[in-house]
Amino acid sequence: MSPVLVRRLDAVGLLLTLLALALGIVWAFPLLWSIAATLRPHPGGSMLDSLLLYASVLFNSDMGRWYLNSLITAGGVTLIVLAISSACGYAISQLDFTGRRLLWGMILASFMIPVQALIINHFFLMNQWGLINTWLGVILPQLIAPIAVIVYKQYFDTVPAALREAARIDGASEAQIFFRVYLPLNWGISSALAIIIFIGAWNAFLWPFLAVTKPELMNVTVAATEVQDRYGISGLAAALLSGLPVAVVYLLFQRRVTEAVMLAGSIKG
């Protein structure tokens, strides 16, 4: 490779690096600005007073209960979605039953319907079943996750048929094949999906806002407005308090989150 070409490649690499740095600054500016605004001292006070106020909100308010509500509902959504989606994906991928193609087509077509368009139906159903202001009423409408079914189905399609046949020869039932052969093979995909589903359920606002009116049952994303009204902290601070746990989860498991996003993007494409 000639020296001129090497210099050109180095120049292109430098330009791309500078462009990526500029885009990173533009992306991070709103977050940095919100953190700076949150830590800005209140009139007549210091930054220490602001930090003490936020610590008081965390430990002397219902914030712990709201975090628990979010943890229970987001954890419930995650576990149930993974259980339903993995079983459904296995059935569509490996079993031959009447209506299999119709079911698969309905799951693919569900991408055309935004979840927000179903909220009115969800509210009427939950109200009719007496599940408004309950954890179950928050969880059930969030179980619609066709992407998880598709990811599982596409993965199960790649599992060698010889494994299934060997298990059948050994006398394993369908349930044993599913739990002992197929599920252990995809713990990586399951963990990646679990993290991204949990983050999505934790950050959900519209449905928990409609389904819960009692302050003691609110999720932390909805209760952030209560924190602002009761304790006089800024809306940015309330948003940061509600998003802090998922930010920690993302920092700890960012590789898994990236894998899940890439999986979802490749399937949708």
Side-chain angles (χ1 to χ4, degrees):
M1 186 177 296
S2 64
V4 176
L5 182 58
V6 171
R7 286 195 296 270
R8 288 181 179 177
L9 291 177
D10 291 341
V12 171
L14 178 61
L15 289 176
L16 291 176
T17 301
L18 293 175
L19 177 61
L21 179 61
L23 292 176
I25 293 174
V26 171
W27 174 86
F29 175 77
L31 179 61
L32 296 176
W33 179 79
S34 63
I35 294 175
T38 299
L39 298 178
R40 184 183 301 135
H42 292 276
S46 63
M47 184 176 295
L48 179 60
D49 294 330
S50 299
L51 294 176
L52 290 175
L53 174 61
Y54 301 140
S56 176
V57 171
L58 281 174
F59 297 106
N60 298 325
S61 69
D62 292 329
M63 184 65 73
R65 176 182 295 178
W66 295 331
Y67 276 136
L68 179 62
N69 293 338
S70 290
L71 180 62
I72 292 175
T73 55
V77 168
T78 302
L79 293 177
I80 297 174
V81 166
L82 290 180
I84 294 175
S85 300
S86 59
C88 185
Y90 174 80
I92 296 174
S93 173
Q94 300 297 319
L95 304 182
D96 188 12
F97 57 91
T98 304
R100 172 185 174 187
R101 292 186 177 181
L102 177 61
L103 176 60
W104 178 237
M106 291 175 61
I107 292 173
L108 292 176
S110 65
F111 279 116
M112 301 175 62
I113 304 176
V115 176
Q116 291 79 3
L118 304 175
I119 282 184
I120 296 178
N121 294 333
H122 289 163
F123 186 85
F124 280 119
L125 283 175
M126 295 302 106
N127 186 53
Q128 185 177 359
W129 295 343
L131 296 179
I132 297 298
N133 285 317
T134 65
W135 285 336
L136 190 59
V138 176
I139 291 173
L140 286 179
Q142 297 187 70
L143 300 182
I144 302 175
I147 185 61
V149 178
I150 296 173
V151 168
Y152 274 116
K153 190 266 183 187
Q154 297 293 82
Y155 176 78
F156 289 144
D157 285 345
T158 65
V159 176
L163 292 177
R164 177 178 172 82
E165 293 301 324
R168 293 289 296 273
I169 292 174
D170 290 339
S173 63
E174 289 295 344
Q176 291 173 328
I177 294 174
F178 174 59
F179 285 107
R180 297 184 179 181
V181 178
Y182 279 76
L183 276 186
L185 291 175
N186 69 342
W187 286 124
I189 290 178
S190 294
S191 60
L193 284 175
I195 294 169
I196 200 168
I197 291 171
F198 180 85
I199 292 176
W202 181 284
N203 289 331
F205 176 82
L206 182 57
W207 175 248
F209 175 76
L210 296 175
V212 175
T213 58
K214 296 180 179 179
E216 65 271 15
L217 294 175
M218 288 180 177
N219 286 7
V220 68
T221 51
V222 179
T225 56
E226 294 286 327
V227 173
Q228 182 178 358
D229 294 337
R230 291 185 187 181
Y231 300 95
I233 68 174
S234 67
L236 289 174
L240 287 176
L241 288 176
S242 65
L244 183 61
V246 292
V248 174
V249 170
Y250 176 79
L251 290 175
L252 293 176
F253 303 102
Q254 56 181 322
R255 185 172 65 87
R256 290 296 186 187
V257 175
T258 303
E259 290 176 0
V261 172
M262 292 177 63
L263 281 171
S266 63
I267 297 298
K268 287 182 179 180

